[in-house]
Amino acid sequence: DDANVPRAVNNNQPVMAMAFNFGTVSGAHIQQHVIVAYDEIKAINYFGEALSPYWARNGTTFNQMMATASNNYATYVTKTAAFDTQLMTDMTTEGGANYAQIGALAYRQTFTATGLAADPSGQLLAFPKENSSNGDVSTVDVLYPMFPQLLLFSPTVAKASLQPVMDYANSSLWHFDNAPHDLGTYPLVLGRPDGGEEMPVEETANMLIMLDGIAKAEGSSEYADQFWPLISKWANFLKPYANTPGLQLTTDDFLGVITNSTNLAVKAIIGLGAFADLARRHGDTATANSYTAIAQADVTHWMNQSISSDGTHWLLSYGQQGSGAQMYNLVFDQILGTNLFPASVAAKDIAYDKTVLTPLGVPIRSTTNIVGIDWSIWDASLATNAADFQTLITPIYTYLNTTGTRVPMRDKYDTSNLNGGLFQARSVVGGVFAKMLTDPAMWSKYSSQDTNVLGPYAGFPVTTAVVPSGNESPQTWRFTTVTPPGNFMVPGFNDSAWASGQSGFGTAITPNLIVNTVWNSPDIWMRRKFTMPAGTFSNLQFEVFHDEDVEIYVNGLLAATDSGYTTGYTTLPITDLQSRLQLVAGKTITLAVHCHQTTGGQGVDVGLVTVQPGVR
């Protein structure tokens, strides 16, 4: 509420308050503290599995967690103070005092924008949320810019953040040769079978680069090796696009699509180089040499296509004279040691940056006023001298230090509006630490302090149909598009006048739904009777496709609801206890559904499945 900030505690807000009576204080230092904690109970819906927060992985209760924090308060304060001092000193040495201050903001924001959960075997899974943009979870082009912070401080957390993406892409739910874009909307990690949200080249290159970053940090491709067929498929997909990207959305998707983006081509080429490095570590020298040769040839092609007519800078896209852009993806060529691009490419990039520098930073491209903090610091990290680095990051410090917006650290802002901006509170600002990764000694100093060792992950959740939806085979339903009586969901309701049709119901333009019965009106009401099959069903859930709002009833009881829409079949928990108790072997069940649609494609289908941990 920008019109009412700061907000008084008694101004229409639920509040908690704590008061201490210090008595008479005279020359003494008296200290008290309050512990404020948030109990998630369950942290993430992971493809139908309700995962506990990581702190509760060993059965720790909420009170025990707070007691541990309280009992170790002095130790934690001492440790964190020592870490703060060490990190601020090293960042100042690496990039100056302003860089250290930017890093202090970024460090805490990146980690607190990431949810930590435990899989069924107690292993760490990390889920960044796209705060302030659209709420997506485990978005690959959010993981990529935040990854420098994870690689620097904790390869363990780096692997934990990629694991959900790798497992989903390696499952039967993902049918594409490229990497996914995201895994759903936080905290519902249910997958999004959309082909990569029109960013297949971007996300595939991102994943290969991040996997090689882990291998370099650990000196081994052990983590990537377990997914080798999948990674090889990604590299093969990327090959033609590294030469000619074509029409693509990129990480800067909020600025629109670009044909043959030069910066995207840089990333794709480095992605091939990253795969070559992984192959070399994997012991496949022939593949490593082959992909290195392809990437080197692509660099030659890139330099011919991307140079401005006066030879002073790199273009926004192949042949688009009069344009310019930051080549920030070049930094990973240096970090990974792939060394595909000659030093002159980065030198020209830095020289161009200085010619277009504004008092608040370098715009992402010549056609906009938008500065990306993560990208600008990546670009500045290509500088070969401290003076150029300071020249390029000082305007970012100036913005952060003088903006009047009372929001968490922005990662994108408009240089024409000091008090404006685009995105805030996002984990992508972990990209600030790319500068630290360009110093191998500094990288090793911090990553070696990561003493966590991950054990084997539980297998990807296994979904088994109990009462099939149309996702398995078409099922017969009674339905109407005319508002029925209010008791339409009860078992004894007479639906003989309703039409009969097979699932799924919807329109042909609805993605990822096989439409067997056309439904194109605002509302549909559906009923289906069946006998629960024999067996004991653990973790029984609905398998549902809905576009948009859906209500599901079991024998007249409201068992589950969901708003908005899905982009594929997902699981939906049965939230009503009495409804769950109905679903026992041999019982006759009336399943009733109401779905409401407002705009665009539409569709609905419902079945019942069990979700169990897989086995590796």
Side-chain angles (χ1 to χ4, degrees):
D1 184 357
D2 292 334
N4 195 15
V5 174
R7 181 188 291 275
V9 295
N10 62 351
N11 185 355
N12 298 324
Q13 285 285 307
V15 299
M16 297 188 299
M18 189 70 170
F20 292 110
N21 183 355
F22 287 96
T24 300
V25 179
S26 177
H29 177 192
I30 298 177
Q31 179 177 331
Q32 296 277 13
H33 65 266
V34 176
I35 298 176
V36 180
Y38 169 56
D39 185 357
E40 294 176 295
I41 305 177
K42 294 296 183 181
I44 292 289
N45 180 339
Y46 190 60
F47 297 96
E49 288 183 311
L51 302 185
S52 296
Y54 189 64
W55 62 263
R57 65 194 179 280
N58 296 321
T60 302
T61 67
F62 191 53
N63 288 343
Q64 289 170 340
M65 179 263 286
M66 291 196 293
T68 299
S70 181
N71 293 337
N72 292 279
Y73 178 76
T75 300
Y76 295 158
V77 168
T78 300
K79 284 186 174 182
T80 54
F83 177 79
D84 288 351
T85 299
Q86 178 190 54
L87 179 57
M88 293 299 283
T89 299
D90 286 341
M91 291 196 75
T92 301
T93 299
E94 198 70 33
N98 289 349
Y99 176 62
Q101 291 293 325
I102 297 170
L105 284 176
Y107 179 91
R108 55 190 180 221
Q109 179 165 307
T110 296
F111 280 132
T112 53
T114 302
L116 303 180
D119 83 349
S121 63
Q123 298 307 307
L124 175 66
L125 294 173
F127 300 94
K129 178 187 176 185
E130 265 196 74
N131 295 326
S132 80
S133 39
N134 61 4
D136 283 354
V137 59
S138 297
T139 305
V140 173
D141 55 88
V142 167
L143 281 164
Y144 175 68
M146 71 183 276
F147 223 62
Q149 180 164 330
L150 302 188
L151 287 176
L152 180 65
F153 296 108
S154 180
T156 296
V157 180
K159 289 184 287 188
S161 68
L162 292 194
Q163 186 72 30
V165 180
M166 299 303 297
D167 271 347
Y168 175 57
N170 210 33
S171 76
S172 61
L173 300 178
W174 184 253
H175 308 291
F176 307 93
D177 291 337
N178 55 277
H181 172 267
D182 66 272
L183 301 185
T185 303
Y186 197 98
L188 304 179
V189 182
L190 303 175
R192 209 184 296 275
D194 58 2
E197 202 179 84
E198 301 179 59
M199 301 173 70
V201 175
E202 178 80 40
E203 310 302 26
T204 304
N206 286 344
M207 290 301 296
L208 293 173
I209 290 170
M210 289 188 286
L211 287 163
D212 194 41
I214 291 172
K216 187 172 178 68
E218 297 189 325
S220 168
S221 63
E222 181 180 359
Y223 180 73
D225 287 348
Q226 61 186 313
F227 301 104
W228 196 250
L230 174 65
I231 294 171
S232 299
K233 181 171 67 174
W234 286 347
N236 186 62
F237 168 84
L238 195 60
K239 276 195 295 188
Y241 296 103
N243 182 272
T244 306
L247 182 66
Q248 296 282 334
L249 276 177
T250 71
T251 300
D252 306 320
D253 53 349
F254 58 95
L255 296 174
V257 297
I258 304 176
T259 300
N260 293 329
S261 164
T262 53
N263 192 36
L264 179 60
V266 167
K267 178 183 290 185
I269 292 168
I270 297 171
L272 294 184
F275 176 71
D277 185 53
L278 287 169
R280 191 171 293 109
R281 296 177 187 273
H282 186 69
D284 188 347
T285 303
T287 297
N289 291 341
S290 173
Y291 272 85
T292 298
I294 293 170
Q296 289 170 337
D298 287 338
V299 169
T300 301
H301 176 258
W302 182 90
M303 293 181 70
N304 291 332
Q305 295 292 320
S306 303
I307 190 69
S308 64
S309 56
D310 60 5
T312 61
H313 65 278
W314 306 111
L315 304 174
L316 173 65
S317 61
Y318 289 176
Q320 188 181 346
Q321 297 298 330
S323 68
Q326 292 177 309
M327 298 296 114
Y328 52 78
N329 286 311
L330 279 170
V331 75
F332 264 106
D333 193 31
Q334 180 178 345
I335 290 171
L336 298 179
T338 44
N339 299 321
L340 295 166
F341 289 83
S344 59
V345 175
K348 200 179 296 294
D349 184 51
I350 294 296
Y352 171 74
D353 281 355
K354 292 192 291 185
T355 67
V356 296
L357 182 65
T358 76
L360 294 180
V362 178
I364 293 172
R365 62 179 74 159
S366 57
T367 56
T368 180
N369 295 321
I370 304 299
V371 171
I373 289 179
D374 42 1
W375 304 145
S376 287
I377 291 183
W378 285 24
D379 223 41
S381 298
L382 298 169
T384 56
N385 62 77
D388 282 349
F389 181 78
Q390 290 299 322
T391 295
L392 295 175
I393 72 157
T394 296
I396 295 172
Y397 175 84
T398 299
Y399 167 77
L400 292 171
N401 199 40
T402 57
T403 178
T405 54
R406 296 172 57 91
V407 299
M409 182 179 180
R410 292 197 187 277
D411 55 273
K412 305 292 185 293
Y413 60 88
D414 191 332
T415 61
S416 65
N417 181 7
L418 182 65
N419 294 328
L422 298 177
F423 306 129
Q424 66 201 45
R426 301 202 305 171
S427 62
V428 301
V429 294
V432 163
F433 291 94
K435 173 66 172 172
M436 303 285 277
L437 295 182
T438 62
D439 181 344
M442 194 68 74
W443 186 355
S444 177
K445 175 180 179 177
Y446 281 94
S447 64
S448 63
Q449 296 177 39
D450 177 15
T451 58
N452 294 316
V453 178
L454 290 172
Y457 278 101
F460 191 74
V462 175
T463 301
T464 304
V466 176
V467 176
S469 69
N471 194 31
E472 287 78 38
S473 60
Q475 303 296 311
T476 301
W477 292 74
R478 289 285 194 177
F479 73 96
T480 182
T481 56
V482 179
T483 305
N487 65 338
F488 83 96
M489 73 290 292
V490 301
F493 180 82
N494 184 1
D495 60 15
S496 59
W498 290 16
S500 179
Q502 290 195 312
S503 57
F505 294 79
T507 56
I509 65 170
T510 306
N512 303 312
L513 174 69
I514 297 175
V515 176
N516 289 305
T517 302
V518 174
W519 163 49
N520 54 16
S521 62
D523 291 271
I524 188 171
W525 292 263
M526 306 160 55
R527 286 170 54 91
R528 173 185 175 192
K529 285 188 177 182
F530 57 86
T531 301
M532 280 294 290
T536 301
F537 310 111
S538 176
N539 197 15
L540 192 65
Q541 303 190 38
F542 291 117
E543 180 182 46
V544 58
F545 186 107
H546 66 91
D547 185 352
E548 298 157 355
D549 304 345
V550 68
E551 301 166 348
I552 305 172
Y553 299 85
V554 172
N555 285 349
L557 302 171
L558 181 59
T561 64
D562 202 13
S563 59
Y565 62 91
T566 63
T567 56
Y569 283 87
T570 64
T571 55
L572 182 63
I574 301 169
T575 54
D576 176 62
L577 174 60
Q578 295 304 315
S579 297
R580 290 202 301 271
L581 294 176
Q582 299 286 315
L583 298 168
V584 295
K587 187 163 182 131
T588 299
I589 302 297
T590 297
L591 190 63
V593 177
H594 170 220
C595 190
H596 174 71
Q597 194 270 347
T598 56
T599 186
Q602 61 189 92
V604 64
D605 193 9
V606 177
L608 284 167
V609 296
T610 60
V611 182
Q612 301 298 322
V615 177
R616 288 196 183 277

